[in-house]
């Protein structure tokens, strides 16, 4: 079901506080405290909500804003959803086992909300839904449980930004997420993380994709984070199901990122692609990818590229496993430093050395992330340039 | 414009250029011939300042400035531009962007227009040199130089790998780049006599086939043989000699 190495950097959930004051509900996002609002903006939250189909904002353990602007789109806190829908029992803790590790156990034991987002059958929502999980309380362990259900033939893009209050020095985010992509549905899930330098992050995600369903998952973490470990697992259970993962990771000094994806291809003609780009400048990146082919004729590809600027550890762990003949699986992994020839080529075009390096770094991180709204794309470009400047 | 004196260069600890002396005056185009491995590319890379080309002796002067140890980008800003024989791929950087970077030195270039003229528009959104064919690389390099408009153009085999149809395009573009196609009817007297050569760029062009000579006017040709410049003459004449006697024969006849 879900297994991971937990021996990297041991975090003890017991060392965090699990109680927090309640925060008031905001009917309008624009009425948010300016300091909080600016952090939300950094992770792509549109407080005007103009170009968003709906929003879900949680601060510490309180849902402070939650709204759907479209028919056929349901957004609410998980406890409210559980109260409303009897059938949710068939979805909660059905993909992730609470006994997986101490983090999932903590979410089971002391849950702090999380979102429920659902599109009804056939409902196609063009604008993204935004969600944000925000930690404001010093030393808090935020334990959320999220459920997304894209019903048959529906389409949804969720942009989820995670961040902490500016001066937080200690915090833990544990997120159990169970996503269900039904027949012919399409779920695009873009996660932008800006956790603080002292924050530990343990997302635990499992997605099931039915026949003809598509999961596109983008993960972006450019700012320093204490330590992050996640290995979302996706099951392609129905014929023609597709999963695509893109991740862009930057690890500055003090950051430890252990990030990967696993896709298990169980049905005829399923396809998976994992693309990851990591840059370390003093930090550690362990970029994992695991593809498991259990049906003849499936296609899967894994591409993992890492750059070390100055120093740091870059560890690519690509794995391919096939249990039947006739699968088509490949991987491409490369770890290195910037090629001197590329720098000098750009210098011959008039850039000084620093400009040349930043241009190459920007290019390196420039994976085409599907479905990003232009404003977010621009934000990402700026963030990449800034990140790279910080490193020089 | 460009003056090279007693230049000795080592690559990977091995002496490649043994004693190069040459001058390319303003507005002149010089052609460099020489067998594979004779050091032609080494000379150009050294002129541009690429690492790995270790100058053990001698001096390079450009526009009166000693550039022997000048960083690459300063040479570029001073007006030297190069078309590489084997440029690297830069992943994630669009060709459009590198052409813009080149144009920035001139205060901006009309990238779309230049690309249209080189029949290269459809490549603007591709990563720089990524999976470009041999001929496409040449056009990409040329497009960058068109945006850059350097005063000294270094072209390392600009026509190799270019198909017959594109050869005319490449040849004419180089002619345009070198500013030699401007047939300016000069008044019989007056200050405009030298107008064509005023706008003309200086150039050093490496070629094996000499096809490029059908499109540009060369002022001089030279043969580089085993790290030494051994022969200076009219470019077409050299080509004929090389065909008749081979490089070695060429080299010997000057001794
Ligand atoms: N990095 C290197 N290490 C060792 N030898 C090198 C290196 N780079 C070039 N050389 C050698 O230097 C010599 C000159 O190479 P150069 O590329 O300048 O030749 P060229 O005249 O341009 O040849 P061609 O016509 O084939 O392009 C060759 O023998 C080549 O193998
Ligand atoms: Mg060469």
């Amino acid at each position: 079901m879900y297994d991971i190495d937990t021996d990297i950097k041991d975090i003890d959930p017991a060392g965090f506080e699990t109680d927090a004051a309640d925060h008031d509900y905001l009917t309008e996002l624009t009425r948010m405290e300016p300091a909080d609002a600016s952090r939300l903006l950094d992770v792509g939250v549109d407080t005007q909500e103009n170009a968003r189909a709906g929003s879900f904002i949680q601060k510490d353990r309180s849902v402070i804003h939650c709204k759907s602007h479209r028919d056929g789109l349901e957004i609410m806190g998980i406890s409210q959803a559980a109260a409303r829908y009897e059938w949710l029992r068939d979805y909660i803790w059905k993909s992730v086992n609470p006994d997986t590790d101490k983090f999932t156990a903590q979410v089971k034991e002391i849950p702090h909300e999380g979102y429920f987002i659902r599109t009804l059958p056939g409902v196609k929502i063009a604008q993204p839904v935004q969600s944000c999980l925000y930690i404001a309380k010093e030393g808090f362990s935020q334990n959320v449980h999220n459920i997304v259900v894209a019903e048959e033939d529906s389409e949804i893009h969720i942009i989820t930004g995670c961040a902490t209050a500016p001066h937080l020095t200690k915090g833990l985010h544990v997120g159990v997420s169970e996503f269900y992509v039904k027949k012919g549905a399409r779920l695009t899930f873009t996660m932008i993380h800006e956790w603080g330098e002292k924050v530990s992050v343990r997302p635990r995600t499992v997605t099931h994709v039915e026949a003809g369903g598509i999961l596109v998952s983008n993960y972006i973490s450019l700012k320093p984070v204490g330590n992050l470990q996640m290995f979302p697992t996706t099951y392609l259970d129905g014929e023609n199901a597709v999963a695509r993962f893109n991740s862009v990771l930057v690890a500055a000094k003090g950051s430890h990122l252990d990030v990967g994806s696993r896709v298990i291809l169980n049905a005829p003609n399923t396809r998976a692609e994992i693309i990851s780009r990591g840059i370390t400048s003093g930090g550690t990146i362990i970029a994992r990818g695991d593809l498991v082919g259990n049906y003849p004729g499936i296609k899967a590809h894994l591409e993992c590229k890492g750059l070390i600027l100055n120093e740091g550890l870059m560890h690519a762990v690509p794995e391919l496993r096939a249990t039947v003949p006739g699968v088509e699986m490949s991987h491409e992994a490369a770890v290195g430093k910037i090629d001197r020839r590329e720098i000098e080529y750009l210098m011959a075009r008039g850039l000084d050395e620093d400009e040349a390096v930043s241009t190459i770094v920007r290019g390196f991180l420039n994976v085409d992330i599907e479905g990003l709204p232009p404003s977010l794309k621009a934000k990402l470009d700026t963030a990449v340039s800034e990140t790279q400047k910080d490193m020089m | 414009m460009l003056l090279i004196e007693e230049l000795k260069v080592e690559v990977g600890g091995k002496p490649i250029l043994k004693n190069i002396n040459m001058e390319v005056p303003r507005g002149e185009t010089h052609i460099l011939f020489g067998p594979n491995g004779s050091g032609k590319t080494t000379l150009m890379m050294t002129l541009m300042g690429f690492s790995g080309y270790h100058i053990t002796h001698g001096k390079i002067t450009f526009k009166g400035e000693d550039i022997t140890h000048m960083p690459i980008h300063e040479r570029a800003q001073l007006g030297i531009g190069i078309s590489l024989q084997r440029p690297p791929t830069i992943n994630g950087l669009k060709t459009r962007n590198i052409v813009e970077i080149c144009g920035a030195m001139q205060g901006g270039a009309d990238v779309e227009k230049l690309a249209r003229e080189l029949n290269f528009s459809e490549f603007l959104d591709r990563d720089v040199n990524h999976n470009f064919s041999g001929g496409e690389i040449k056009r990409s390099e040329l497009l960058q130089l068109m945006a850059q408009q350097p005063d000294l153009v270094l072209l390392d085999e600009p026509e190799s790998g270019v198909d017959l149809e594109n050869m005319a395009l490449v040849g004419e573009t180089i002619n345009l780049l070198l500013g030699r196609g401007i047939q300016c009817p000069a008044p019989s007297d007056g200050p405009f006599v030298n107008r064509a050569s005023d706008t003309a760029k200086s150039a050093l062009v490496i070629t094996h086939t000499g096809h490029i000579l059908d499109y540009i006017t060369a002022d001089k040709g030279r043969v580089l043989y085993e790290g030494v410049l051994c022969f200076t003459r009219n470019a077409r004449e050299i080509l004929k000699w090389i065909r008749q006697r081979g490089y070695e024969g060429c080299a010997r006849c000057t001794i």
Side-chain angles (χ1 to χ4, degrees):
Chain A
M1 211 148 140
Y2 197 96
D3 65 301
I4 28 184
D5 279 355
T6 36
D7 64 5
I8 5 129
K9 256 200 180 178
D10 213 24
I11 299 293
D12 185 7
F16 294 84
E17 286 186 51
T18 52
D19 209 5
D22 285 326
H23 300 286
D24 292 339
Y25 188 85
L26 303 168
T27 45
E28 299 301 328
L29 261 189
T30 42
R31 299 184 39 197
M32 184 161 235
E33 286 170 40
D36 289 349
S38 93
R39 292 294 290 142
L40 261 55
L41 279 172
D42 288 340
V43 291
V45 173
D46 179 351
T47 47
Q48 304 287 335
E49 297 186 77
N50 289 332
R52 298 292 184 263
S55 303
F56 176 90
I57 315 287
Q58 177 170 342
K59 182 174 175 181
D60 295 329
R61 64 174 200 189
S62 319
V63 177
I64 59 167
H65 182 79
C66 158
K67 197 184 272 176
S68 164
H69 301 292
R70 299 285 183 279
D71 291 339
L73 169 66
E74 300 178 344
I75 304 175
M76 62 193 95
I78 190 91
S79 53
Q80 189 188 346
R84 178 181 304 184
Y85 294 126
E86 187 80 357
W87 51 259
L88 206 58
R89 270 192 247 154
D90 298 333
Y91 292 76
I92 296 181
W93 294 116
K94 284 297 178 259
S95 297
V96 175
N97 183 338
D99 299 330
T100 305
D101 59 22
K102 56 193 174 189
F103 302 104
T104 53
Q106 167 131 332
V107 174
K108 174 82 175 170
E109 200 182 322
I110 314 163
H112 298 136
E113 280 297 339
Y115 51 76
F116 169 82
I117 299 175
R118 177 179 178 226
T119 40
L120 297 184
V123 172
K124 294 185 164 63
I125 294 165
Q127 286 181 322
V129 171
Q130 60 186 3
S131 93
C132 181
L133 302 165
Y134 183 69
I135 303 179
K137 185 188 153 92
E138 181 67 32
F140 187 57
S141 169
Q142 184 183 50
N143 312 322
V144 300
H145 195 147
N146 308 308
I147 300 275
V148 173
V149 183
E151 298 286 1
E152 290 188 10
D153 299 314
S154 67
E155 280 184 25
I156 181 168
H157 183 181
I158 300 172
I159 295 177
T160 175
C162 293
T164 53
H167 304 294
L168 204 82
T169 61
K170 184 184 174 192
L172 171 66
H173 170 89
V174 182
V176 167
S177 298
E178 297 176 282
F179 295 168
Y180 299 88
V181 181
K182 300 294 184 69
K183 276 189 193 130
R186 181 189 180 102
L187 168 62
T188 305
F189 189 79
T190 298
M191 187 154 40
I192 301 172
H193 275 177
E194 281 199 19
W195 299 105
E197 289 170 46
K198 307 277 168 50
V199 179
S200 302
V201 186
R202 294 292 181 273
R204 299 292 183 251
T205 305
V206 171
T207 305
H208 284 276
V209 185
E210 296 184 359
I214 298 174
L215 169 70
V216 177
S217 173
N218 304 310
Y219 180 66
I220 299 158
S221 178
L222 303 175
K223 292 292 161 74
V225 50
N227 85 80
L228 160 76
Q229 190 268 332
M230 64 181 213
F231 198 40
T233 298
T234 301
Y235 294 87
L236 299 181
D237 295 327
E239 203 169 335
N240 296 317
V242 175
R244 281 200 292 277
F245 284 81
N246 299 302
S247 53
V248 180
L249 313 167
V250 174
K253 205 171 171 55
S255 296
H256 183 110
L257 276 67
D258 183 338
V259 174
S261 320
R262 168 179 294 160
V263 183
I264 297 161
L265 298 94
N266 286 330
N269 207 23
T270 49
R271 278 165 294 145
E273 182 181 68
I274 298 174
I275 293 179
S276 112
R277 293 278 184 279
I279 290 189
T280 145
S281 80
T284 296
I285 294 180
I286 303 171
R288 299 174 193 274
D290 187 14
L291 294 167
V292 185
N294 293 332
Y295 205 95
I298 61 99
K299 281 187 189 155
H301 181 67
L302 171 55
E303 182 188 303
C304 172
K305 290 188 180 165
L307 266 191
I308 301 178
L309 291 186
N310 313 322
E311 52 177 13
L313 174 68
M314 179 79 219
H315 185 176
V317 193
E319 289 184 85
L320 304 178
R321 285 182 281 164
T323 57
V324 291
V327 300
E328 200 179 311
M329 302 170 78
S330 56
H331 79 71
E332 191 187 336
V335 172
K337 60 184 176 62
I338 298 181
D339 189 344
R340 186 78 215 155
R341 293 187 320 138
E342 293 180 29
I343 298 173
E344 296 191 348
Y345 185 48
L346 290 178
M347 288 176 76
R349 301 313 186 216
L351 299 185
D352 69 28
E353 182 157 353
D354 285 353
E355 291 166 340
V357 169
S358 54
T359 303
I360 294 164
V361 167
R362 275 203 302 276
F364 178 81
L365 293 178
N366 182 17
V367 289
D368 283 327
I369 292 184
E370 290 173 60
L372 269 198
S375 63
L376 203 54
K377 173 111 182 59
K379 197 173 256 307
L380 183 62
D381 289 344
T382 323
V384 168
S385 325
E386 279 170 8
T387 306
Q388 173 281 318
K389 246 182 261 154
D390 293 345
M391 288 181 177
M392 285 293 123
Chain B
M1 177 67 74
L2 175 72
L3 182 66
I4 304 170
E5 295 166 284
E6 298 181 11
L7 187 70
K8 297 181 185 173
V9 176
E10 285 184 7
V11 182
K14 191 175 133 202
I16 302 294
L17 299 180
K18 289 166 188 158
N19 184 17
I20 305 292
N21 291 283
M22 67 180 278
E23 187 182 358
V24 183
R26 174 177 298 275
E28 287 197 10
T29 295
H30 292 196
I31 310 294
L32 193 58
F33 299 95
N36 295 143
S38 57
K40 302 180 299 299
T41 296
T42 302
L43 178 59
M44 284 207 173
M45 299 299 269
T46 306
L47 292 177
M48 197 69 229
F50 283 91
S51 61
Y53 300 87
H54 182 55
I55 300 178
T56 54
H57 183 85
K59 187 176 170 190
I60 307 167
T61 313
F62 176 65
K63 291 185 179 172
E65 249 186 87
D66 180 351
I67 62 160
T68 317
H69 301 287
M70 190 183 262
I72 303 170
H73 68 284
E74 289 179 19
R75 298 182 201 216
Q77 278 153 8
L78 204 58
I80 306 182
I82 189 166
S83 156
L84 293 181
Q85 186 174 12
R86 244 179 267 114
T89 294
I90 302 183
N91 286 308
L93 182 68
K94 302 290 173 232
T95 302
R96 178 192 313 284
N97 300 125
I98 200 170
V99 180
E100 280 163 2
I101 287 169
C102 292
M105 273 189 278
Q106 298 300 322
D110 189 341
V111 178
E112 307 295 331
K113 180 163 169 278
L114 290 174
R116 255 195 323 274
E117 283 163 5
L118 255 168
N119 191 17
F120 211 63
S121 302
E122 58 179 302
F123 295 88
L124 287 179
D125 288 317
R126 277 176 59 175
D127 288 1
V128 176
N129 297 323
H130 183 63
N131 290 336
F132 281 11
S133 74
E136 287 160 3
I137 282 178
K138 300 296 168 189
R139 278 191 282 155
S140 162
E141 291 289 285
L142 214 47
L143 175 60
Q144 294 173 47
L145 289 180
M146 285 301 283
Q148 191 176 340
Q149 289 293 321
D151 299 321
L152 172 66
V153 187
L154 307 173
L155 302 174
D156 197 345
E157 300 190 26
E159 82 272 63
S160 70
V162 177
D163 67 47
L164 284 174
E165 239 167 89
N166 277 301
M167 187 56 224
L169 194 63
V170 164
E172 278 154 22
T173 307
I174 291 174
N175 194 36
L176 195 66
L177 178 64
L178 302 188
R180 314 224 20 159
I182 307 161
Q183 298 300 331
C184 190
S188 52
D189 54 66
F192 299 112
V193 181
N194 290 324
R195 184 158 165 197
S197 70
D198 270 358
T199 57
K201 307 282 170 62
S202 306
L204 189 58
V205 183
I206 298 175
T207 178
H208 284 296
T209 61
H211 292 323
I212 190 68
L213 297 175
D214 296 341
Y215 300 90
I216 58 175
T217 324
D219 298 284
K220 224 172 241 170
R222 297 175 204 275
V223 178
L224 185 62
Y225 191 77
E226 292 180 349
V228 184
L229 280 175
C230 58
F231 201 68
T232 303
R233 220 170 255 262
N234 171 287
R236 284 189 180 281
E237 229 170 285
I238 291 184
L239 200 60
K240 213 166 83 191
W241 280 50
I242 295 170
R243 283 208 183 102
Q244 288 168 356
R245 313 173 191 198
Y247 288 108
E248 209 187 331
C250 260
R252 212 178 296 119
C253 64
T254 50
I255 298 166

